[in-house]
Amino acid sequence: MATPAEMTLDSAELKKRIDRFHAVRDGILAQVREVIVGQDEVLDQILTALFVGGHCLITGLPGTAKTLMVRTISQTLGLVFKRIQFTPDLMPSDITGTDIIEEDSTTGRRHWTFVPGPIFGNIVLADEINRTPPKTQSALLEAMQELSCTVRGNHYKLPAPFFVLATQNPIELEGTYPLPEAQLDRFLFNVLLDYLSADDEAKVVDLTTTTRVAQVNAVTNPEEILSFQQLVRMVPIGTSVARYAVELVRATRHKSPNAPEVIKKYVNYGGSVRAAQFIVLSAKARALSRKRYHVTYDDITSLAIPVLRHRILLNFHAESDRIDSDEILRRLLEHMPPPKEG
């Protein structure tokens, strides 16, 4: 577990791939910075998800540049970008596509033809995903897990790489539908987009109220992104560090003997094994992006909250005491601090 067999690759070739990874990541950030001001932590988490091959749920208030951020990142990656505006009347076929009957003008025969929906892209922006009923939201389930979709019994593979970056507004409860737990669990991160600082807001106003039009160029391509995803999985992780990630997830379950009182009091259901998988994978990407070739305890603790905040289900005690999942997870990390690294 600590050292994958792939690490036996030629060291010069491996170093070349790692150097290219850092160059592309720096290039993406430089291009995105032409359009997006601030939000360093959010950008870091989205890029981590892309290099892992995971999906992101971006939660933020209106006007915080959620859609603009996703569109800009897709341009820098050189990927096919598709946008779906989720509304209460959206149907599953509006996402996956549908079969239509066409007539051959020469023979007069009719046949079924599949018309792909907007899900057939590399980056799919599911805008305001919580504004459509669960029946339509579930159209994304197979795509997010299996990277394929089924229409009228026919199985279609989606293009690779494939990412769903979904946005939701946390305050407008009127006309919104909570995401099913099975779908929430398929998102690597739940990224919180907060207000900018006063200086950053002034900079946004200065940049967007003139005739300046930012130009964003692609710095990579789909094949290279897939290569980076394999590179991230090659980063070694110590057995003790991986075990700490597993124990952290297990402690979010109120029946676990290691669960602290805050979990037993406020949490109905904790994270699944997928949460531990995602923490380790994202920690590997974080380590590589910081030019380290091993995962540290700090990588685990830094990413535990965005991985777990949408995976723990709180009970009515949490609602009555007005305590949210982030606060509970912070207390969990205080209760289970990582061992001191030598």
Side-chain angles (χ1 to χ4, degrees), residues 205-213:
V205 171
D206 184 53
L207 289 174
T208 57
T209 56
T210 65
T211 56
R212 173 184 178 273
V213 178

Side-chain angles (χ1 to χ4, degrees), residues 59-276:
T59 304
L61 298 167
T64 49
K66 298 185 296 293
T67 304
L68 179 63
M69 184 180 295
V70 173
R71 185 186 296 275
T72 304
I73 290 174
S74 69
Q75 290 173 341
T76 65
L77 295 173
L79 301 179
V80 176
F81 173 77
K82 300 285 187 178
R83 181 177 185 270
I84 307 171
Q85 183 64 53
F86 280 70
T87 57
D89 59 348
L90 192 74
M91 299 296 292
S93 59
D94 295 328
I95 297 173
T96 60
T98 188
D99 286 318
I100 63 171
I101 297 178
E102 287 192 334
E103 184 176 302
D104 191 320
S105 58
T106 56
T107 63
R109 290 191 172 186
R110 296 180 178 180
H111 57 89
W112 289 101
T113 300
F114 178 65
V115 179
I119 202 171
F120 285 85
N122 296 120
I123 289 188
V124 176
L125 171 59
D127 209 9
E128 296 188 287
I129 190 172
N130 58 336
R131 288 200 170 279
T132 199
K135 176 183 177 181
T136 304
Q137 292 174 7
S138 66
L140 288 173
L141 282 175
E142 181 186 0
M144 293 173 68
Q145 184 62 30
E146 308 297 335
L147 306 183
S148 62
C149 71
T150 303
V151 179
R152 291 186 67 252
N154 296 313
H155 197 66
Y156 301 97
K157 294 294 291 182
L158 298 175
F162 176 76
F163 308 104
V164 173
L165 300 181
T167 69
Q168 66 175 2
N169 181 349
I171 59 170
E172 291 188 26
L173 300 180
E174 188 71 28
T176 60
Y177 304 83
L179 296 182
E181 286 73 20
Q183 184 163 6
L184 279 173
D185 196 48
R186 282 164 169 77
F187 286 105
L188 171 64
F189 289 138
N190 181 4
V191 180
L192 298 186
L193 212 62
D194 207 349
Y195 291 118
L196 295 171
S197 66
D199 289 341
D200 283 342
E201 283 196 27
K203 190 174 181 181
V204 169
V205 171
D206 184 53
L207 289 174
T208 57
T209 56
T210 65
T211 56
R212 173 184 178 273
V213 178
Q215 296 295 325
V216 177
N217 300 312
V219 297
T220 185
N221 55 63
E223 293 75 21
E224 207 167 42
I225 295 295
L226 292 173
S227 172
F228 292 153
Q229 291 175 5
Q230 290 301 313
L231 185 65
V232 163
R233 289 175 175 267
M234 292 163 59
V235 175
I237 179 172
T239 304
S240 60
V241 180
R243 184 71 182 184
Y244 174 68
V246 171
E247 292 300 329
L248 203 58
V249 172
R250 291 178 64 83
T252 64
R253 306 163 193 165
H254 69 274
K255 292 184 179 180
S256 170
N258 294 330
E261 283 304 314
V262 68
I263 295 292
K264 293 177 180 178
K265 181 177 180 181
Y266 293 122
V267 177
N268 271 344
Y269 298 98
S272 67
V273 67
R274 184 181 283 148

